[in-house]
Amino acid sequence: EDPAVLRLRCELTPGGGAEGLEPALAAEQDDVSLELSPYARVVYAQDKSRGTLARDDRAGLQASLAIGPQALLFADGYVGTVTPGPRGTPDGSGSFHSSSTDVTAWIDRAYATWATQRFSVHAGHTWLRWGPGANGTMALSDGAPALDALEARVRLLGGQGQLAWFVATLDPAAQTYLAGHRLELRAGPSVQLSFSELARFDGTGNAPLYLLPVIPYALMERRVSGASQLPADSLKRLGHNNVMVATDFSWTLRRGVRLYGELAVDDLTLDNSRPLAVAWQVGAHLRRRVGEAAWSLRGEYARVYPHTYSATNGQNFAYAGFPT
């Protein structure tokens, strides 16, 4: 009776034709399957308060290659107009803020996934987001353009928990990175809790350290500084990081009624050397089925205090001019 289940069934039922959103071309041989889906999209958006006008016209192709029950390759490429915004199309120099109407080619997403019942690895160019919010959490949302990332997840406690972690490239030339790990727990049949830690760090040589999900990022500065023989100026840049901690919950009161909330604290210090940088959000999500129709209603409030996501050393939680 859940509208979300109805939608998934409509979209994923084999042989559904247009209603089932079948791929345009599909082929199978043994345990390998290939699907190709061309598409076209025309979007017009105007924001009178900012005086902006955006047109996002695209013609593209989505392709997926499944190898057995565990491996999947996916790509979405298109030709379209240059469109500003994190979900738009960058211009020839890679800027997501250009208002040009030139036509260019771009890769929306391209990634590989390998998964079992207990462990999964996800690598490639795609969006990252965690948590119950409409766009993720205040710590990690899909508000920035797609990232080049390596992500892994492992199930814990017989499926009652999950540990997820990733390292993503922000600027390969400047060697700037974003990393995160998150512990998710199910407290009974209706409550989910999570505890997250994210870090903005510099230096390609540090990336393998941040792929170890058991080391707290708050201790990583001492780990890097204690083992390094670099001069002081280089160590100051490559040894320091900007750490954010967050916790969120989701509570299903009854079928189709869910409440959630989150608190994120950026670079908490015990000596009050910087202002308290906090972000939080609360929300409610309702879903109902009426006969063959379904409707949903979501309300969400978010608050971000000054200095959140930024640091004086430039290790900001931002990518391409948008907050991560």
Side-chain angles (χ1 to χ4, degrees):
E1 297 182 1
D2 193 319
V5 177
L6 292 179
R7 187 184 69 179
L8 288 172
R9 187 171 296 155
C10 174
E11 293 183 356
L12 301 177
T13 298
E19 294 182 357
L21 298 181
E22 288 290 291
L25 301 173
E28 288 190 38
Q29 183 175 0
D30 298 330
D31 60 347
V32 178
S33 63
L34 173 66
E35 296 182 353
L36 300 174
S37 294
Y39 66 90
R41 189 174 84 178
V42 178
V43 177
Y44 173 89
Q46 183 178 12
D47 188 340
K48 293 184 178 180
S49 63
R50 298 182 179 180
T52 60
L53 179 65
R55 293 180 176 87
D56 191 354
D57 304 332
R58 304 181 184 183
L61 178 69
Q62 292 184 350
S64 65
L65 177 66
I67 306 173
Q70 298 171 330
L72 174 70
L73 303 177
F74 176 84
D76 181 350
Y78 64 90
V79 175
T81 56
V82 171
T83 307
R87 295 299 182 98
T89 303
D91 61 11
S93 63
S95 172
F96 285 87
H97 300 273
S98 175
S99 58
S100 169
T101 58
D102 294 340
V103 175
T104 185
W106 188 243
I107 298 294
D108 191 61
R109 287 168 293 163
Y111 58 80
T113 298
W114 184 84
T116 66
Q117 291 184 349
R118 297 185 178 274
F119 180 75
S120 68
V121 178
H122 187 82
H125 183 75
T126 187
W127 287 284
L128 294 174
R129 57 168 292 173
W130 282 340
N135 299 102
T137 63
M138 306 300 287
L140 183 67
S141 74
D142 55 9
L147 297 165
D148 299 326
L150 174 62
E151 181 186 25
R153 297 172 182 263
V154 59
R155 296 179 64 186
L156 306 172
L157 305 174
Q160 296 301 306
Q162 178 178 252
L163 178 63
W165 66 99
F166 74 89
V167 171
T169 302
L170 299 180
D171 187 339
Q175 301 185 46
T176 59
Y177 295 86
L178 174 70
H181 46 208
R182 173 183 173 92
L183 177 62
E184 301 173 349
L185 300 172
R186 182 180 292 276
S190 60
V191 178
Q192 288 182 308
L193 303 172
S194 79
F195 306 91
S196 307
E197 190 179 29
L198 290 99
R200 258 287 289 111
F201 69 95
D202 299 335
T204 302
N206 293 327
L209 287 176
Y210 285 86
L211 276 173
L212 302 176
V214 297
I215 301 179
Y217 295 152
L219 302 179
M220 197 65 75
E221 284 190 6
R222 281 184 282 173
R223 170 69 181 88
V224 174
S225 300
S228 177
Q229 302 298 319
L230 290 174
D233 55 345
S234 298
L235 186 59
K236 183 178 180 180
R237 175 180 178 270
L238 300 177
H240 293 183
N241 61 17
N242 184 16
V243 176
M244 179 186 300
V245 295
T247 180
D248 62 78
F249 76 93
S250 175
W251 178 24
T252 302
L253 295 174
R254 59 179 183 270
R255 180 183 296 174
V257 181
R258 183 168 63 100
L259 304 177
Y260 59 88
E262 181 205 10
L263 172 67
V265 181
D266 182 10
D267 204 14
L268 179 65
T269 61
L270 299 179
D271 57 359
N272 296 322
S273 58
R274 60 166 290 176
L276 182 62
V278 175
W280 58 273
Q281 72 172 351
V282 293
H285 193 188
L286 310 178
R287 294 200 300 246
R288 284 289 184 270
R289 178 181 178 183
V290 181
E292 296 300 320
W295 61 266
S296 65
L297 175 67
R298 183 195 290 263
E300 190 172 276
Y301 178 83
R303 177 73 184 272
V304 180
Y305 288 81
H307 310 290
T308 309
Y309 310 127
S310 63
T312 55
N313 61 3
Q315 290 180 328
N316 304 323
F317 287 96
Y319 168 54
F322 301 92
T324 57

